[in-house]
């Protein structure tokens, strides 16, 4: 059966597998960058994973280097 779901993203995502570095900007949080892996990137954002954090909170600020 063919899917009828349409793509609604504003920007095209580019599938990648590249290393990223990220850090949280929370009081009491280390200034250290943690390694992660980006899965896809668009002009509006990046999807990445890192074993450094199990979850993030809404409105949390990150610094990410690709």
């Amino acid at each position: 059966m063919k899917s009828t779901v349409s793509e609604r993203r504003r920007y095209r995502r580019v599938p990648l597998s590249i290393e990223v570095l990220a850090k949280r900007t929370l009081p009491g949080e280390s200034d250290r960058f943690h390694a992660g892996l980006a899965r896809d990137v668009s002009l509006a954002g990046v999807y990445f994973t890192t074993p450094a954090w199990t979850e993030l909170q809404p409105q949390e600020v990150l610094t990410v280097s690709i």
Side-chain angles (χ1 to χ4, degrees):
M1 181 183 294
K2 188 175 181 175
S3 175
T4 59
V5 176
S6 64
E7 181 66 46
R8 296 185 308 179
R9 291 186 176 108
R10 178 177 282 174
Y11 302 106
R12 185 175 66 87
R13 289 184 177 229
V14 178
L16 296 173
S17 183
I18 59 172
E19 186 175 303
V20 298
L21 297 173
K23 71 176 182 175
R24 290 169 138 168
T25 55
L26 292 173
E29 189 73 29
S30 165
D31 276 347
R32 196 176 74 133
F33 279 86
H34 299 279
L37 188 64
R39 197 172 84 183
D40 61 29
V41 178
S42 76
L43 289 175
V46 59
Y47 176 88
F48 74 95
T49 58
T50 177
W53 310 304
T54 55
E55 66 180 56
L56 299 171
Q57 300 302 313
Q59 306 301 313
E60 196 167 325
V61 178
L62 301 174
T63 300
V64 180
S65 177
I66 299 175

